[in-house]
Amino acid sequence: MYTDFQQHLEKELAAITEAGLYKNERIIVSPQGAEVTLDSGQTVLNFCANNYLGLSNNPQLVESAKAALDSHGYGMSSVRFICGTTDIHRELEKKIAEFFGTEDTILYAACFDANGGVFEPLLTKEDAIISDSLNHASIIDGVRLCKAARYRFKTADMEDLEQQLIKAQEQRFRLIVTDAVFSMDGHVAPLDKIVELANKYNAMVMIDECHSAGVVGETGRGVTELYDMLGQVEIITGTLGKAFGGAIGGFTTGKKEIIDILRQRSRPYLFSNSIPPLIAAAGIEMINMMNASNGLMDKLRSNIAHFNAGMQAAGFDMKPTQSAICAVMLYDAKLSQEFAARLLDEGIYVIGFYFPVVPREQARIRVQLSAAHEPEHLDKAIAAFTKVGKELGVIE
Ligand SMILES: *Cc1c(COP(=O)(O)O)cnc(C)c1O
């Protein structure tokens, strides 16, 4: 039996390789940070991690995780509702709710699980989900697991959203769902207008703050802070795996009845292990740090401004960004790969993206900035981009 299947897989793999889509993983042998060492021995500046606040190797978080290893042990060996909840799991849930101005929070092993487990327990075939066309894969999968009718609107296009809401008026309940920051472009969902339409057409709103929590809004509370709408959407999902420490873990925060139903019925919560206590403890410490000071946010913002100004001055075509994601537009797929490879030779680690990850003829290099970057790191990156850009005829 396996021989046939093996040949089938070999063909599939060959096709992936031929299409240039085979993903090779680069091995890092140092902690995650602004500067990382690869297994080749090369040290490079890292501009492709979601380490927005530079917390992935923050000494305070490492210390709090170590202390929790001593006080609460290594693992929980259980799901939450059997014997997998500690005092610090609950404390982190309350802290997250306080941070976003919501009523309660439920933790998951990852935001992929939070999004995968949010729709099916809440909505049935009588209801409607209206989803942005660029939403994250985990939202798409979560919607697939739910029997509600599905509507899709063009990304951040409010006229199209309105059309879909009109179509969905026959259903009992309506939920609009959108990423807060879109990961390939860096643009922010127009939450003010979305909520306005939701009110007009009697819909609820869910936003995924994975790329915006810790990044967007004066104090990093995400798009609800940016639009001065803290506590005004029904459901927020987010991750502890990006700005919020970078380890692992996800959450859904929002109206308390919603969170309560999820605790009763959300399958990735009911049937999957609790996050380790050390992650909960470091999560609490991370929120305390953010409440105590805006320093990391301020540094990230000044890095974003510095990098974008430098790249524009050098003549690069930058997508306007409202986040720590900067898309350097190259349009041509092959050029994006060649450009990224040459940048690595210059000690700059970035990734070039092309179809199907981004639309055809929209290939780009995505640069992700961090509070861990120093101004000299940014200047080195801009200089390398400029050198390679001239060599490849992208800029003059
Ligand atoms: C990264 C990401 C996720 C998944 O988060 P994990 O905690 O890594 O599973 C979900 N949604 C969006 C928009 C993301 O960017």
Side-chain angles (χ1 to χ4, degrees):
M1 176 68 219
Y2 187 64
T3 322
D4 289 348
F5 191 60
Q6 186 181 26
Q7 283 171 359
H8 163 71
L9 293 183
E10 279 167 358
K11 262 191 221 145
E12 292 279 302
L13 286 165
I16 293 171
T17 307
E18 228 165 272
L21 298 175
Y22 191 89
K23 297 175 191 67
N24 282 301
E25 297 177 8
R26 221 159 250 133
I27 312 278
I28 295 174
V29 297
S30 63
Q32 188 65 279
E35 220 168 21
V36 292
T37 307
L38 306 178
D39 62 349
S40 62
Q42 191 189 6
T43 295
V44 295
L45 291 175
N46 190 358
F47 287 91
C48 55
N50 306 307
N51 186 18
Y52 299 127
L53 293 176
L55 295 178
S56 303
N57 190 31
N58 177 277
Q60 247 173 286
L61 296 193
V62 172
E63 274 317 305
S64 64
K66 281 183 184 166
L69 273 174
D70 290 336
S71 62
H72 287 72
Y74 174 59
M76 290 309 299
S77 310
S78 177
V79 299
R80 290 286 297 273
F81 82 98
I82 297 183
C83 57
T85 300
T86 71
D87 53 339
I88 53 180
H89 288 89
R90 266 314 278 156
E91 189 184 338
L92 175 58
E93 288 178 335
K94 288 182 184 146
K95 285 258 173 207
I96 290 172
E98 222 175 79
F99 185 80
F100 287 101
T102 49
E103 293 174 3
D104 199 4
T105 304
I106 175 173
L107 291 172
Y108 288 84
C111 188
F112 205 103
D113 290 330
N115 286 334
V118 70
F119 302 103
E120 185 263 344
L122 297 174
L123 302 171
T124 72
K125 64 180 192 313
E126 295 172 83
D127 306 316
I129 299 168
I130 302 122
S131 182
D132 187 286
S133 62
L134 286 189
N135 276 342
H136 190 261
S138 55
I139 295 178
I140 295 169
D141 284 9
V143 171
R144 281 188 189 141
L145 293 171
C146 174
K147 299 219 159 53
R150 300 166 199 170
Y151 299 86
R152 212 164 72 129
F153 63 99
K154 282 189 225 109
T155 190
D157 180 333
M158 294 299 99
E159 273 170 41
D160 196 22
L161 173 58
E162 182 158 21
Q163 289 313 309
Q164 304 309 316
L165 281 164
I166 291 169
K167 282 192 209 160
Q169 284 306 296
E170 274 172 30
Q171 266 91 23
R172 179 182 58 169
F173 300 122
R174 281 156 293 283
L175 176 65
I176 303 167
V177 53
T178 181
D179 281 13
V181 162
F182 294 89
S183 64
M184 286 298 145
D185 296 44
H187 67 286
V188 162
L191 186 67
D192 51 345
K193 302 201 180 73
I194 290 173
V195 169
E196 207 177 292
L197 286 172
N199 290 337
K200 184 168 171 195
Y201 292 98
N202 199 17
M204 300 177 285
V205 176
M206 166 177 156
I207 49 174
D208 176 335
E209 296 268 25
C210 278
H211 284 287
S212 45
V215 175
V216 172
E218 181 57 33
T219 62
R221 278 152 173 81
V223 290
T224 58
E225 182 180 17
L226 181 70
Y227 291 103
D228 200 15
M229 299 181 118
L230 280 179
Q232 286 188 42
V233 304
E234 282 75 17
I235 303 171
I236 294 173
T237 59
T239 182
L240 302 175
K242 293 186 172 122
F244 281 180
I248 191 112
F251 57 85
T252 301
T253 189
K255 300 293 181 198
K256 71 176 190 311
E257 300 78 13
I258 291 177
I259 303 306
D260 216 8
I261 287 283
L262 294 176
R263 271 191 220 287
Q264 306 310 311
R265 293 199 185 141
S266 180
R267 292 163 71 83
Y269 181 80
L270 291 174
F271 300 112
S272 187
N273 207 9
S274 300
I275 58 167
L278 66 104
I279 302 284
I284 292 165
E285 181 70 12
M286 173 276 298
I287 300 244
N288 288 342
M289 280 168 60
M290 292 200 60
N291 287 337
S293 157
N294 222 27
L296 292 175
M297 287 281 312
D298 292 341
K299 186 164 174 215
L300 175 60
R301 255 192 289 265
S302 104
N303 283 351
I304 295 167
H306 180 132
F307 183 76
N308 274 286
M311 289 291 283
Q312 265 157 11
F316 284 101
D317 179 3
M318 308 288 290
K319 278 225 171 202
T321 184
Q322 298 161 286
S323 66
I325 292 166
C326 305
V328 185
M329 298 306 293
L330 297 170
Y331 302 99
D332 182 72
K334 217 168 142 230
L335 177 63
S336 72
Q337 300 310 293
E338 168 84 22
F339 207 121
R342 293 227 197 163
L343 281 171
L344 195 68
D345 293 340
E346 301 291 325
I348 306 297
Y349 187 11
V350 289
I351 303 289
F353 291 95
Y354 55 99
F355 185 81
V357 179
V358 295
R360 270 185 219 284
E361 316 299 324
Q362 292 282 310
R364 67 199 64 182
I365 286 177
R366 179 175 73 173
V367 176
Q368 292 176 283
L369 296 168
S370 167
H373 293 134
E374 298 302 334
E376 54 271 25
H377 296 147
L378 305 175
D379 291 337
K380 196 176 161 200
I382 296 164
F385 264 99
T386 306
K387 175 173 177 227
V388 175
K390 283 182 179 159
E391 284 168 7
L392 293 178
V394 174
I395 54 169
E396 302 196 343

PDB file of all heavy atoms in Angstrom, residues 271-295:
ATOM      1  N   PHE A 271     -10.603  19.860  24.425  1.00  0.00           N
ATOM      2  CA  PHE A 271      -9.939  18.602  24.092  1.00  0.00           C
ATOM      3  C   PHE A 271      -8.450  18.780  23.803  1.00  0.00           C
ATOM      4  O   PHE A 271      -7.870  18.006  23.056  1.00  0.00           O
ATOM      5  CB  PHE A 271     -10.636  17.943  22.894  1.00  0.00           C
ATOM      6  CG  PHE A 271     -12.082  17.637  23.162  1.00  0.00           C
ATOM      7  CD1 PHE A 271     -13.078  18.315  22.503  1.00  0.00           C
ATOM      8  CD2 PHE A 271     -12.432  16.680  24.111  1.00  0.00           C
ATOM      9  CE1 PHE A 271     -14.420  18.038  22.768  1.00  0.00           C
ATOM     10  CE2 PHE A 271     -13.759  16.406  24.382  1.00  0.00           C
ATOM     11  CZ  PHE A 271     -14.766  17.083  23.712  1.00  0.00           C
ATOM     12  N   SER A 272      -7.841  19.818  24.376  1.00  0.00           N
ATOM     13  CA  SER A 272      -6.410  20.032  24.150  1.00  0.00           C
ATOM     14  C   SER A 272      -5.782  20.558  25.442  1.00  0.00           C
ATOM     15  O   SER A 272      -6.441  21.201  26.254  1.00  0.00           O
ATOM     16  CB  SER A 272      -6.218  21.032  23.007  1.00  0.00           C
ATOM     17  OG  SER A 272      -4.870  21.139  22.661  1.00  0.00           O
ATOM     18  N   ASN A 273      -4.493  20.276  25.600  1.00  0.00           N
ATOM     19  CA  ASN A 273      -3.828  20.544  26.883  1.00  0.00           C
ATOM     20  C   ASN A 273      -3.772  22.033  27.243  1.00  0.00           C
ATOM     21  O   ASN A 273      -3.783  22.900  26.376  1.00  0.00           O
ATOM     22  CB  ASN A 273      -2.403  19.985  26.816  1.00  0.00           C
ATOM     23  CG  ASN A 273      -1.853  19.596  28.177  1.00  0.00           C
ATOM     24  OD1 ASN A 273      -2.591  19.590  29.161  1.00  0.00           O
ATOM     25  ND2 ASN A 273      -0.595  19.280  28.233  1.00  0.00           N
ATOM     26  N   SER A 274      -3.687  22.306  28.534  1.00  0.00           N
ATOM     27  CA  SER A 274      -3.473  23.676  29.032  1.00  0.00           C
ATOM     28  C   SER A 274      -2.080  24.158  28.675  1.00  0.00           C
ATOM     29  O   SER A 274      -1.149  23.357  28.595  1.00  0.00           O
ATOM     30  CB  SER A 274      -3.562  23.703  30.554  1.00  0.00           C
ATOM     31  OG  SER A 274      -4.802  23.262  30.981  1.00  0.00           O
ATOM     32  N   ILE A 275      -1.952  25.483  28.516  1.00  0.00           N
ATOM     33  CA  ILE A 275      -0.600  26.016  28.321  1.00  0.00           C
ATOM     34  C   ILE A 275       0.199  25.797  29.606  1.00  0.00           C
ATOM     35  O   ILE A 275      -0.365  25.782  30.703  1.00  0.00           O
ATOM     36  CB  ILE A 275      -0.607  27.521  27.945  1.00  0.00           C
ATOM     37  CG1 ILE A 275      -1.304  28.383  28.992  1.00  0.00           C
ATOM     38  CG2 ILE A 275      -1.207  27.741  26.574  1.00  0.00           C
ATOM     39  CD1 ILE A 275      -1.050  29.875  28.813  1.00  0.00           C
ATOM     40  N   PRO A 276       1.526  25.623  29.498  1.00  0.00           N
ATOM     41  CA  PRO A 276       2.336  25.416  30.688  1.00  0.00           C
ATOM     42  C   PRO A 276       2.290  26.653  31.601  1.00  0.00           C
ATOM     43  O   PRO A 276       2.215  27.777  31.103  1.00  0.00           O
ATOM     44  CB  PRO A 276       3.750  25.204  30.146  1.00  0.00           C
ATOM     45  CG  PRO A 276       3.647  25.155  28.685  1.00  0.00           C
ATOM     46  CD  PRO A 276       2.313  25.642  28.266  1.00  0.00           C
ATOM     47  N   PRO A 277       2.356  26.444  32.917  1.00  0.00           N
ATOM     48  CA  PRO A 277       2.302  27.571  33.851  1.00  0.00           C
ATOM     49  C   PRO A 277       3.362  28.645  33.573  1.00  0.00           C
ATOM     50  O   PRO A 277       3.107  29.832  33.758  1.00  0.00           O
ATOM     51  CB  PRO A 277       2.546  26.916  35.217  1.00  0.00           C
ATOM     52  CG  PRO A 277       2.118  25.500  35.048  1.00  0.00           C
ATOM     53  CD  PRO A 277       2.374  25.148  33.616  1.00  0.00           C
ATOM     54  N   LEU A 278       4.539  28.237  33.108  1.00  0.00           N
ATOM     55  CA  LEU A 278       5.593  29.233  32.889  1.00  0.00           C
ATOM     56  C   LEU A 278       5.184  30.232  31.806  1.00  0.00           C
ATOM     57  O   LEU A 278       5.582  31.398  31.849  1.00  0.00           O
ATOM     58  CB  LEU A 278       6.941  28.565  32.547  1.00  0.00           C
ATOM     59  CG  LEU A 278       7.060  27.792  31.242  1.00  0.00           C
ATOM     60  CD1 LEU A 278       7.835  28.595  30.211  1.00  0.00           C
ATOM     61  CD2 LEU A 278       7.742  26.464  31.490  1.00  0.00           C
ATOM     62  N   ILE A 279       4.373  29.793  30.852  1.00  0.00           N
ATOM     63  CA  ILE A 279       3.888  30.698  29.801  1.00  0.00           C
ATOM     64  C   ILE A 279       2.871  31.671  30.395  1.00  0.00           C
ATOM     65  O   ILE A 279       2.867  32.872  30.078  1.00  0.00           O
ATOM     66  CB  ILE A 279       3.215  29.890  28.660  1.00  0.00           C
ATOM     67  CG1 ILE A 279       4.186  28.885  28.054  1.00  0.00           C
ATOM     68  CG2 ILE A 279       2.645  30.820  27.587  1.00  0.00           C
ATOM     69  CD1 ILE A 279       5.208  29.466  27.143  1.00  0.00           C
ATOM     70  N   ALA A 280       2.008  31.147  31.275  1.00  0.00           N
ATOM     71  CA  ALA A 280       1.014  32.012  31.921  1.00  0.00           C
ATOM     72  C   ALA A 280       1.720  33.067  32.776  1.00  0.00           C
ATOM     73  O   ALA A 280       1.374  34.254  32.748  1.00  0.00           O
ATOM     74  CB  ALA A 280       0.059  31.177  32.766  1.00  0.00           C
ATOM     75  N   ALA A 281       2.744  32.636  33.519  1.00  0.00           N
ATOM     76  CA  ALA A 281       3.454  33.563  34.411  1.00  0.00           C
ATOM     77  C   ALA A 281       4.154  34.656  33.602  1.00  0.00           C
ATOM     78  O   ALA A 281       4.085  35.846  33.943  1.00  0.00           O
ATOM     79  CB  ALA A 281       4.475  32.799  35.253  1.00  0.00           C
ATOM     80  N   ALA A 282       4.822  34.273  32.515  1.00  0.00           N
ATOM     81  CA  ALA A 282       5.514  35.275  31.699  1.00  0.00           C
ATOM     82  C   ALA A 282       4.498  36.192  31.019  1.00  0.00           C
ATOM     83  O   ALA A 282       4.762  37.382  30.816  1.00  0.00           O
ATOM     84  CB  ALA A 282       6.410  34.590  30.669  1.00  0.00           C
ATOM     85  N   GLY A 283       3.321  35.646  30.693  1.00  0.00           N
ATOM     86  CA  GLY A 283       2.260  36.468  30.100  1.00  0.00           C
ATOM     87  C   GLY A 283       1.804  37.553  31.066  1.00  0.00           C
ATOM     88  O   GLY A 283       1.593  38.708  30.668  1.00  0.00           O
ATOM     89  N   ILE A 284       1.649  37.174  32.328  1.00  0.00           N
ATOM     90  CA  ILE A 284       1.249  38.152  33.362  1.00  0.00           C
ATOM     91  C   ILE A 284       2.324  39.234  33.486  1.00  0.00           C
ATOM     92  O   ILE A 284       2.030  40.434  33.507  1.00  0.00           O
ATOM     93  CB  ILE A 284       1.037  37.436  34.713  1.00  0.00           C
ATOM     94  CG1 ILE A 284      -0.189  36.512  34.631  1.00  0.00           C
ATOM     95  CG2 ILE A 284       0.884  38.456  35.851  1.00  0.00           C
ATOM     96  CD1 ILE A 284      -0.275  35.494  35.765  1.00  0.00           C
ATOM     97  N   GLU A 285       3.570  38.798  33.527  1.00  0.00           N
ATOM     98  CA  GLU A 285       4.684  39.742  33.642  1.00  0.00           C
ATOM     99  C   GLU A 285       4.703  40.699  32.441  1.00  0.00           C
ATOM    100  O   GLU A 285       4.927  41.902  32.583  1.00  0.00           O
ATOM    101  CB  GLU A 285       5.995  38.951  33.725  1.00  0.00           C
ATOM    102  CG  GLU A 285       7.251  39.794  33.878  1.00  0.00           C
ATOM    103  CD  GLU A 285       7.366  40.457  35.246  1.00  0.00           C
ATOM    104  OE1 GLU A 285       6.590  40.091  36.160  1.00  0.00           O
ATOM    105  OE2 GLU A 285       8.223  41.362  35.389  1.00  0.00           O
ATOM    106  N   MET A 286       4.436  40.159  31.236  1.00  0.00           N
ATOM    107  CA  MET A 286       4.428  40.966  30.019  1.00  0.00           C
ATOM    108  C   MET A 286       3.354  42.063  30.113  1.00  0.00           C
ATOM    109  O   MET A 286       3.620  43.226  29.802  1.00  0.00           O
ATOM    110  CB  MET A 286       4.182  40.023  28.834  1.00  0.00           C
ATOM    111  CG  MET A 286       3.977  40.633  27.476  1.00  0.00           C
ATOM    112  SD  MET A 286       2.293  41.164  27.125  1.00  0.00           S
ATOM    113  CE  MET A 286       1.383  39.642  27.218  1.00  0.00           C
ATOM    114  N   ILE A 287       2.166  41.699  30.580  1.00  0.00           N
ATOM    115  CA  ILE A 287       1.095  42.710  30.689  1.00  0.00           C
ATOM    116  C   ILE A 287       1.472  43.741  31.746  1.00  0.00           C
ATOM    117  O   ILE A 287       1.261  44.952  31.551  1.00  0.00           O
ATOM    118  CB  ILE A 287      -0.252  42.038  31.033  1.00  0.00           C
ATOM    119  CG1 ILE A 287      -0.613  41.035  29.936  1.00  0.00           C
ATOM    120  CG2 ILE A 287      -1.346  43.099  31.238  1.00  0.00           C
ATOM    121  CD1 ILE A 287      -1.834  41.295  29.127  1.00  0.00           C
ATOM    122  N   ASN A 288       2.053  43.287  32.842  1.00  0.00           N
ATOM    123  CA  ASN A 288       2.498  44.244  33.870  1.00  0.00           C
ATOM    124  C   ASN A 288       3.509  45.235  33.290  1.00  0.00           C
ATOM    125  O   ASN A 288       3.448  46.438  33.549  1.00  0.00           O
ATOM    126  CB  ASN A 288       3.129  43.514  35.065  1.00  0.00           C
ATOM    127  CG  ASN A 288       2.091  42.786  35.900  1.00  0.00           C
ATOM    128  OD1 ASN A 288       0.892  43.086  35.809  1.00  0.00           O
ATOM    129  ND2 ASN A 288       2.527  41.827  36.704  1.00  0.00           N
ATOM    130  N   MET A 289       4.442  44.715  32.496  1.00  0.00           N
ATOM    131  CA  MET A 289       5.457  45.587  31.873  1.00  0.00           C
ATOM    132  C   MET A 289       4.793  46.617  30.965  1.00  0.00           C
ATOM    133  O   MET A 289       5.150  47.799  30.968  1.00  0.00           O
ATOM    134  CB  MET A 289       6.444  44.759  31.036  1.00  0.00           C
ATOM    135  CG  MET A 289       7.516  44.064  31.847  1.00  0.00           C
ATOM    136  SD  MET A 289       8.420  42.826  30.855  1.00  0.00           S
ATOM    137  CE  MET A 289       9.105  43.849  29.566  1.00  0.00           C
ATOM    138  N   MET A 290       3.814  46.156  30.174  1.00  0.00           N
ATOM    139  CA  MET A 290       3.157  47.080  29.240  1.00  0.00           C
ATOM    140  C   MET A 290       2.330  48.121  29.976  1.00  0.00           C
ATOM    141  O   MET A 290       2.232  49.262  29.547  1.00  0.00           O
ATOM    142  CB  MET A 290       2.282  46.302  28.252  1.00  0.00           C
ATOM    143  CG  MET A 290       3.135  45.473  27.313  1.00  0.00           C
ATOM    144  SD  MET A 290       2.281  45.002  25.822  1.00  0.00           S
ATOM    145  CE  MET A 290       1.870  46.569  25.100  1.00  0.00           C
ATOM    146  N   ASN A 291       1.725  47.698  31.095  1.00  0.00           N
ATOM    147  CA  ASN A 291       0.953  48.667  31.884  1.00  0.00           C
ATOM    148  C   ASN A 291       1.862  49.695  32.546  1.00  0.00           C
ATOM    149  O   ASN A 291       1.475  50.847  32.741  1.00  0.00           O
ATOM    150  CB  ASN A 291       0.127  47.942  32.956  1.00  0.00           C
ATOM    151  CG  ASN A 291      -1.063  47.208  32.360  1.00  0.00           C
ATOM    152  OD1 ASN A 291      -1.532  47.554  31.282  1.00  0.00           O
ATOM    153  ND2 ASN A 291      -1.554  46.197  33.054  1.00  0.00           N
ATOM    154  N   ALA A 292       3.087  49.273  32.899  1.00  0.00           N
ATOM    155  CA  ALA A 292       3.989  50.148  33.647  1.00  0.00           C
ATOM    156  C   ALA A 292       4.657  51.190  32.759  1.00  0.00           C
ATOM    157  O   ALA A 292       4.977  52.290  33.207  1.00  0.00           O
ATOM    158  CB  ALA A 292       5.050  49.310  34.367  1.00  0.00           C
ATOM    159  N   SER A 293       4.904  50.856  31.486  1.00  0.00           N
ATOM    160  CA  SER A 293       5.668  51.775  30.641  1.00  0.00           C
ATOM    161  C   SER A 293       5.311  51.613  29.174  1.00  0.00           C
ATOM    162  O   SER A 293       5.057  50.501  28.706  1.00  0.00           O
ATOM    163  CB  SER A 293       7.168  51.502  30.828  1.00  0.00           C
ATOM    164  OG  SER A 293       7.887  51.954  29.706  1.00  0.00           O
ATOM    165  N   ASN A 294       5.358  52.731  28.474  1.00  0.00           N
ATOM    166  CA  ASN A 294       5.094  52.714  27.035  1.00  0.00           C
ATOM    167  C   ASN A 294       6.402  52.712  26.230  1.00  0.00           C
ATOM    168  O   ASN A 294       6.400  52.931  25.027  1.00  0.00           O
ATOM    169  CB  ASN A 294       4.244  53.935  26.673  1.00  0.00           C
ATOM    170  CG  ASN A 294       3.138  53.593  25.677  1.00  0.00           C
ATOM    171  OD1 ASN A 294       2.677  52.453  25.635  1.00  0.00           O
ATOM    172  ND2 ASN A 294       2.743  54.568  24.890  1.00  0.00           N
ATOM    173  N   GLY A 295       7.509  52.464  26.926  1.00  0.00           N
ATOM    174  CA  GLY A 295       8.828  52.609  26.314  1.00  0.00           C
ATOM    175  C   GLY A 295       9.038  51.753  25.080  1.00  0.00           C
ATOM    176  O   GLY A 295       9.552  52.239  24.054  1.00  0.00           O
TER     177      GLY A 295
END
